[in-house]
Amino acid sequence: MYAHRVHDPGLLLAFSATHYCVLMPRACLILRPDTPAPDALSLLREARWSSISIITAHNPLATPATPQANAHAHARLLTLTEHLADRRLPSINRDPSRRWPDEPGLALPDLNIAEATALARSLGQIAFIHAAIPAHATDPHDPPRLVWC
């Protein structure tokens, strides 16, 4: 849908540099695209997650929106993920240079890439973070990755 944006080197650089923070009760897990995160994935495995998708509804199409529009979009994300309310976790997409404001979102368990892509697209997003969580700590795993919508 938004494939033309994938070729924007500045956007790719911004998404790749972002810290995707999962706010757990006793820890803040930071995931980054293509960066191994065995300790973070281990904590999520302990919570019995098979995958994690980090999705925000803020700033659709990677374009700044008003605070009111972002609040409305986040409320829609909460509504669309109500069926996961007992397991989803708050998240924050944070630009470590602080040139872009924090984007609240959700860390969602057990969605496959197709389900997460459909959700992100429905919110006007062009990308999200996804990682499969291995069943055992000794199982091979891939680092979190940026998935383009």
mmCIF file of all heavy atoms in Angstrom, residues 17-49:
data_model
loop_
_atom_site.group_PDB
_atom_site.id
_atom_site.type_symbol
_atom_site.label_atom_id
_atom_site.label_comp_id
_atom_site.label_asym_id
_atom_site.label_seq_id
_atom_site.Cartn_x
_atom_site.Cartn_y
_atom_site.Cartn_z
ATOM 1 N N ALA A 17 16.669 3.813 13.598
ATOM 2 C CA ALA A 17 17.305 4.388 14.784
ATOM 3 C C ALA A 17 16.365 4.447 15.989
ATOM 4 O O ALA A 17 16.824 4.580 17.124
ATOM 5 C CB ALA A 17 17.797 5.798 14.466
ATOM 6 N N THR A 18 15.075 4.332 15.747
ATOM 7 C CA THR A 18 14.086 4.457 16.817
ATOM 8 C C THR A 18 14.251 3.345 17.849
ATOM 9 O O THR A 18 14.554 2.209 17.510
ATOM 10 C CB THR A 18 12.662 4.431 16.219
ATOM 11 O OG1 THR A 18 12.508 5.582 15.388
ATOM 12 C CG2 THR A 18 11.596 4.444 17.288
ATOM 13 N N HIS A 19 14.034 3.701 19.103
ATOM 14 C CA HIS A 19 13.968 2.722 20.182
ATOM 15 C C HIS A 19 12.494 2.394 20.393
ATOM 16 O O HIS A 19 11.695 3.285 20.680
ATOM 17 C CB HIS A 19 14.558 3.277 21.469
ATOM 18 C CG HIS A 19 16.038 3.463 21.410
ATOM 19 N ND1 HIS A 19 16.766 3.917 22.474
ATOM 20 C CD2 HIS A 19 16.934 3.250 20.412
ATOM 21 C CE1 HIS A 19 18.038 3.972 22.154
ATOM 22 N NE2 HIS A 19 18.165 3.582 20.899
ATOM 23 N N TYR A 20 12.158 1.138 20.251
ATOM 24 C CA TYR A 20 10.786 0.663 20.443
ATOM 25 C C TYR A 20 10.721 0.087 21.853
ATOM 26 O O TYR A 20 11.211 -1.001 22.115
ATOM 27 C CB TYR A 20 10.423 -0.350 19.363
ATOM 28 C CG TYR A 20 10.502 0.268 17.981
ATOM 29 C CD1 TYR A 20 11.693 0.290 17.266
ATOM 30 C CD2 TYR A 20 9.392 0.892 17.421
ATOM 31 C CE1 TYR A 20 11.781 0.894 16.018
ATOM 32 C CE2 TYR A 20 9.472 1.502 16.175
ATOM 33 C CZ TYR A 20 10.672 1.499 15.483
ATOM 34 O OH TYR A 20 10.753 2.109 14.255
ATOM 35 N N CYS A 21 10.144 0.859 22.771
ATOM 36 C CA CYS A 21 10.166 0.540 24.198
ATOM 37 C C CYS A 21 8.861 -0.137 24.605
ATOM 38 O O CYS A 21 7.782 0.433 24.430
ATOM 39 C CB CYS A 21 10.342 1.809 25.021
ATOM 40 S SG CYS A 21 11.749 2.823 24.491
ATOM 41 N N VAL A 22 8.972 -1.332 25.162
ATOM 42 C CA VAL A 22 7.827 -2.072 25.679
ATOM 43 C C VAL A 22 7.814 -1.871 27.186
ATOM 44 O O VAL A 22 8.795 -2.188 27.866
ATOM 45 C CB VAL A 22 7.921 -3.570 25.330
ATOM 46 C CG1 VAL A 22 6.724 -4.324 25.895
ATOM 47 C CG2 VAL A 22 8.043 -3.759 23.826
ATOM 48 N N LEU A 23 6.721 -1.333 27.701
ATOM 49 C CA LEU A 23 6.622 -1.000 29.116
ATOM 50 C C LEU A 23 5.997 -2.171 29.867
ATOM 51 O O LEU A 23 4.784 -2.307 29.945
ATOM 52 C CB LEU A 23 5.804 0.277 29.295
ATOM 53 C CG LEU A 23 6.305 1.469 28.476
ATOM 54 C CD1 LEU A 23 5.384 2.667 28.647
ATOM 55 C CD2 LEU A 23 7.731 1.817 28.844
ATOM 56 N N MET A 24 6.862 -3.022 30.428
ATOM 57 C CA MET A 24 6.421 -4.171 31.212
ATOM 58 C C MET A 24 6.321 -3.754 32.670
ATOM 59 O O MET A 24 6.897 -2.732 33.074
ATOM 60 C CB MET A 24 7.395 -5.334 31.041
ATOM 61 C CG MET A 24 7.419 -5.868 29.613
ATOM 62 S SD MET A 24 8.399 -7.369 29.451
ATOM 63 C CE MET A 24 7.309 -8.558 30.238
ATOM 64 N N PRO A 25 5.610 -4.520 33.484
ATOM 65 C CA PRO A 25 5.450 -4.123 34.893
ATOM 66 C C PRO A 25 6.768 -3.897 35.632
ATOM 67 O O PRO A 25 6.866 -2.994 36.447
ATOM 68 C CB PRO A 25 4.667 -5.290 35.503
ATOM 69 C CG PRO A 25 3.913 -5.866 34.345
ATOM 70 C CD PRO A 25 4.811 -5.696 33.143
ATOM 71 N N ARG A 26 7.796 -4.707 35.341
ATOM 72 C CA ARG A 26 9.051 -4.563 36.088
ATOM 73 C C ARG A 26 10.231 -4.181 35.207
ATOM 74 O O ARG A 26 11.379 -4.206 35.656
ATOM 75 C CB ARG A 26 9.372 -5.858 36.812
ATOM 76 C CG ARG A 26 8.373 -6.168 37.927
ATOM 77 C CD ARG A 26 8.693 -7.472 38.535
ATOM 78 N NE ARG A 26 8.617 -8.483 37.474
ATOM 79 C CZ ARG A 26 8.447 -9.759 37.660
ATOM 80 N NH1 ARG A 26 8.365 -10.225 38.868
ATOM 81 N NH2 ARG A 26 8.374 -10.593 36.662
ATOM 82 N N ALA A 27 9.973 -3.847 33.968
ATOM 83 C CA ALA A 27 11.094 -3.541 33.071
ATOM 84 C C ALA A 27 10.607 -2.742 31.871
ATOM 85 O O ALA A 27 9.438 -2.800 31.510
ATOM 86 C CB ALA A 27 11.755 -4.832 32.595
ATOM 87 N N CYS A 28 11.528 -2.011 31.280
ATOM 88 C CA CYS A 28 11.288 -1.354 30.000
ATOM 89 C C CYS A 28 12.188 -2.055 28.999
ATOM 90 O O CYS A 28 13.419 -1.957 29.098
ATOM 91 C CB CYS A 28 11.604 0.130 30.084
ATOM 92 S SG CYS A 28 11.468 0.963 28.490
ATOM 93 N N LEU A 29 11.593 -2.789 28.074
ATOM 94 C CA LEU A 29 12.364 -3.511 27.070
ATOM 95 C C LEU A 29 12.548 -2.617 25.855
ATOM 96 O O LEU A 29 11.584 -2.020 25.378
ATOM 97 C CB LEU A 29 11.637 -4.779 26.642
ATOM 98 C CG LEU A 29 11.175 -5.719 27.748
ATOM 99 C CD1 LEU A 29 10.467 -6.924 27.142
ATOM 100 C CD2 LEU A 29 12.349 -6.151 28.594
ATOM 101 N N ILE A 30 13.759 -2.529 25.361
ATOM 102 C CA ILE A 30 14.012 -1.731 24.169
ATOM 103 C C ILE A 30 14.364 -2.671 23.025
ATOM 104 O O ILE A 30 15.300 -3.462 23.125
ATOM 105 C CB ILE A 30 15.144 -0.715 24.400
ATOM 106 C CG1 ILE A 30 14.713 0.274 25.486
ATOM 107 C CG2 ILE A 30 15.484 0.019 23.100
ATOM 108 C CD1 ILE A 30 15.781 1.275 25.866
ATOM 109 N N LEU A 31 13.566 -2.590 21.964
ATOM 110 C CA LEU A 31 13.804 -3.365 20.757
ATOM 111 C C LEU A 31 14.185 -2.406 19.641
ATOM 112 O O LEU A 31 13.674 -1.285 19.577
ATOM 113 C CB LEU A 31 12.563 -4.158 20.365
ATOM 114 C CG LEU A 31 12.028 -5.139 21.406
ATOM 115 C CD1 LEU A 31 10.759 -5.798 20.886
ATOM 116 C CD2 LEU A 31 13.051 -6.180 21.767
ATOM 117 N N ARG A 32 15.089 -2.874 18.779
ATOM 118 C CA ARG A 32 15.479 -2.093 17.608
ATOM 119 C C ARG A 32 15.529 -3.028 16.419
ATOM 120 O O ARG A 32 15.905 -4.194 16.562
ATOM 121 C CB ARG A 32 16.852 -1.447 17.829
ATOM 122 C CG ARG A 32 16.791 -0.420 18.957
ATOM 123 C CD ARG A 32 17.943 0.522 19.005
ATOM 124 N NE ARG A 32 18.208 1.131 17.721
ATOM 125 C CZ ARG A 32 19.439 1.332 17.273
ATOM 126 N NH1 ARG A 32 20.492 0.982 17.976
ATOM 127 N NH2 ARG A 32 19.619 1.897 16.104
ATOM 128 N N PRO A 33 15.168 -2.537 15.251
ATOM 129 C CA PRO A 33 15.195 -3.398 14.067
ATOM 130 C C PRO A 33 16.591 -3.964 13.809
ATOM 131 O O PRO A 33 17.587 -3.262 13.935
ATOM 132 C CB PRO A 33 14.775 -2.471 12.927
ATOM 133 C CG PRO A 33 14.136 -1.299 13.570
ATOM 134 C CD PRO A 33 14.730 -1.179 14.934
ATOM 135 N N ASP A 34 16.604 -5.244 13.481
ATOM 136 C CA ASP A 34 17.837 -5.945 13.103
ATOM 137 C C ASP A 34 18.900 -5.958 14.198
ATOM 138 O O ASP A 34 20.076 -6.132 13.920
ATOM 139 C CB ASP A 34 18.416 -5.359 11.804
ATOM 140 C CG ASP A 34 17.406 -5.431 10.669
ATOM 141 O OD1 ASP A 34 16.737 -6.472 10.539
ATOM 142 O OD2 ASP A 34 17.271 -4.444 9.931
ATOM 143 N N THR A 35 18.477 -5.770 15.435
ATOM 144 C CA THR A 35 19.387 -5.817 16.572
ATOM 145 C C THR A 35 18.950 -6.947 17.494
ATOM 146 O O THR A 35 17.821 -6.927 17.987
ATOM 147 C CB THR A 35 19.364 -4.480 17.346
ATOM 148 O OG1 THR A 35 19.709 -3.422 16.435
ATOM 149 C CG2 THR A 35 20.322 -4.492 18.508
ATOM 150 N N PRO A 36 19.809 -7.940 17.707
ATOM 151 C CA PRO A 36 19.422 -9.044 18.590
ATOM 152 C C PRO A 36 18.961 -8.536 19.959
ATOM 153 O O PRO A 36 19.518 -7.567 20.491
ATOM 154 C CB PRO A 36 20.700 -9.876 18.711
ATOM 155 C CG PRO A 36 21.466 -9.553 17.462
ATOM 156 C CD PRO A 36 21.166 -8.099 17.173
ATOM 157 N N ALA A 37 17.951 -9.198 20.504
ATOM 158 C CA ALA A 37 17.402 -8.798 21.798
ATOM 159 C C ALA A 37 17.048 -10.037 22.615
ATOM 160 O O ALA A 37 15.900 -10.210 23.026
ATOM 161 C CB ALA A 37 16.178 -7.914 21.578
ATOM 162 N N PRO A 38 18.013 -10.913 22.865
ATOM 163 C CA PRO A 38 17.690 -12.177 23.544
ATOM 164 C C PRO A 38 17.089 -11.995 24.934
ATOM 165 O O PRO A 38 16.185 -12.742 25.318
ATOM 166 C CB PRO A 38 19.026 -12.920 23.587
ATOM 167 C CG PRO A 38 20.067 -11.882 23.404
ATOM 168 C CD PRO A 38 19.440 -10.804 22.573
ATOM 169 N N ASP A 39 17.565 -11.019 25.702
ATOM 170 C CA ASP A 39 17.026 -10.823 27.051
ATOM 171 C C ASP A 39 15.579 -10.345 27.003
ATOM 172 O O ASP A 39 14.739 -10.815 27.767
ATOM 173 C CB ASP A 39 17.886 -9.833 27.834
ATOM 174 C CG ASP A 39 19.276 -10.375 28.122
ATOM 175 O OD1 ASP A 39 19.463 -11.616 28.075
ATOM 176 O OD2 ASP A 39 20.183 -9.565 28.370
ATOM 177 N N ALA A 40 15.285 -9.419 26.103
ATOM 178 C CA ALA A 40 13.913 -8.928 25.963
ATOM 179 C C ALA A 40 12.986 -10.048 25.503
ATOM 180 O O ALA A 40 11.890 -10.238 26.052
ATOM 181 C CB ALA A 40 13.866 -7.767 24.977
ATOM 182 N N LEU A 41 13.415 -10.800 24.512
ATOM 183 C CA LEU A 41 12.573 -11.889 24.017
ATOM 184 C C LEU A 41 12.388 -12.962 25.081
ATOM 185 O O LEU A 41 11.327 -13.586 25.167
ATOM 186 C CB LEU A 41 13.151 -12.466 22.730
ATOM 187 C CG LEU A 41 13.217 -11.502 21.541
ATOM 188 C CD1 LEU A 41 13.744 -12.216 20.303
ATOM 189 C CD2 LEU A 41 11.883 -10.853 21.256
ATOM 190 N N SER A 42 13.380 -13.164 25.927
ATOM 191 C CA SER A 42 13.262 -14.131 27.019
ATOM 192 C C SER A 42 12.172 -13.719 28.004
ATOM 193 O O SER A 42 11.375 -14.551 28.447
ATOM 194 C CB SER A 42 14.612 -14.266 27.732
ATOM 195 O OG SER A 42 14.511 -15.166 28.803
ATOM 196 N N LEU A 43 12.125 -12.434 28.341
ATOM 197 C CA LEU A 43 11.064 -11.959 29.244
ATOM 198 C C LEU A 43 9.686 -12.139 28.622
ATOM 199 O O LEU A 43 8.727 -12.506 29.305
ATOM 200 C CB LEU A 43 11.293 -10.493 29.616
ATOM 201 C CG LEU A 43 12.429 -10.227 30.598
ATOM 202 C CD1 LEU A 43 12.660 -8.728 30.735
ATOM 203 C CD2 LEU A 43 12.117 -10.838 31.954
ATOM 204 N N LEU A 44 9.578 -11.885 27.332
ATOM 205 C CA LEU A 44 8.291 -12.069 26.659
ATOM 206 C C LEU A 44 7.931 -13.553 26.560
ATOM 207 O O LEU A 44 6.764 -13.921 26.678
ATOM 208 C CB LEU A 44 8.317 -11.408 25.285
ATOM 209 C CG LEU A 44 8.431 -9.879 25.333
ATOM 210 C CD1 LEU A 44 8.753 -9.327 23.956
ATOM 211 C CD2 LEU A 44 7.172 -9.257 25.905
ATOM 212 N N ARG A 45 8.922 -14.407 26.376
ATOM 213 C CA ARG A 45 8.679 -15.846 26.352
ATOM 214 C C ARG A 45 8.134 -16.294 27.715
ATOM 215 O O ARG A 45 7.215 -17.097 27.797
ATOM 216 C CB ARG A 45 9.957 -16.612 26.010
ATOM 217 C CG ARG A 45 9.778 -18.121 25.960
ATOM 218 C CD ARG A 45 11.001 -18.928 25.569
ATOM 219 N NE ARG A 45 12.279 -18.429 26.045
ATOM 220 C CZ ARG A 45 13.101 -17.622 25.363
ATOM 221 N NH1 ARG A 45 12.797 -17.228 24.137
ATOM 222 N NH2 ARG A 45 14.240 -17.215 25.881
ATOM 223 N N GLU A 46 8.703 -15.764 28.795
ATOM 224 C CA GLU A 46 8.208 -16.080 30.139
ATOM 225 C C GLU A 46 6.750 -15.672 30.308
ATOM 226 O O GLU A 46 6.007 -16.295 31.060
ATOM 227 C CB GLU A 46 9.076 -15.414 31.197
ATOM 228 C CG GLU A 46 10.454 -16.019 31.323
ATOM 229 C CD GLU A 46 11.348 -15.224 32.257
ATOM 230 O OE1 GLU A 46 10.850 -14.367 33.026
ATOM 231 O OE2 GLU A 46 12.573 -15.469 32.226
ATOM 232 N N ALA A 47 6.341 -14.629 29.598
ATOM 233 C CA ALA A 47 4.944 -14.186 29.631
ATOM 234 C C ALA A 47 4.076 -14.992 28.655
ATOM 235 O O ALA A 47 2.904 -14.690 28.478
ATOM 236 C CB ALA A 47 4.857 -12.697 29.306
ATOM 237 N N ARG A 48 4.693 -15.989 28.004
ATOM 238 C CA ARG A 48 4.021 -16.906 27.075
ATOM 239 C C ARG A 48 3.577 -16.230 25.776
ATOM 240 O O ARG A 48 2.538 -16.549 25.224
ATOM 241 C CB ARG A 48 2.872 -17.628 27.754
ATOM 242 C CG ARG A 48 3.315 -18.446 28.948
ATOM 243 C CD ARG A 48 2.173 -19.239 29.539
ATOM 244 N NE ARG A 48 2.523 -19.772 30.828
ATOM 245 C CZ ARG A 48 3.063 -20.967 31.019
ATOM 246 N NH1 ARG A 48 3.329 -21.735 30.006
ATOM 247 N NH2 ARG A 48 3.352 -21.382 32.236
ATOM 248 N N TRP A 49 4.392 -15.298 25.313
ATOM 249 C CA TRP A 49 4.144 -14.688 24.007
ATOM 250 C C TRP A 49 4.887 -15.499 22.953
ATOM 251 O O TRP A 49 6.026 -15.911 23.169
ATOM 252 C CB TRP A 49 4.661 -13.259 23.979
ATOM 253 C CG TRP A 49 3.854 -12.260 24.768
ATOM 254 C CD1 TRP A 49 3.135 -12.492 25.890
ATOM 255 C CD2 TRP A 49 3.723 -10.873 24.494
ATOM 256 N NE1 TRP A 49 2.571 -11.332 26.345
ATOM 257 C CE2 TRP A 49 2.912 -10.322 25.495
ATOM 258 C CE3 TRP A 49 4.228 -10.052 23.506
ATOM 259 C CZ2 TRP A 49 2.579 -8.978 25.533
ATOM 260 C CZ3 TRP A 49 3.900 -8.696 23.550
ATOM 261 C CH2 TRP A 49 3.077 -8.178 24.541
#
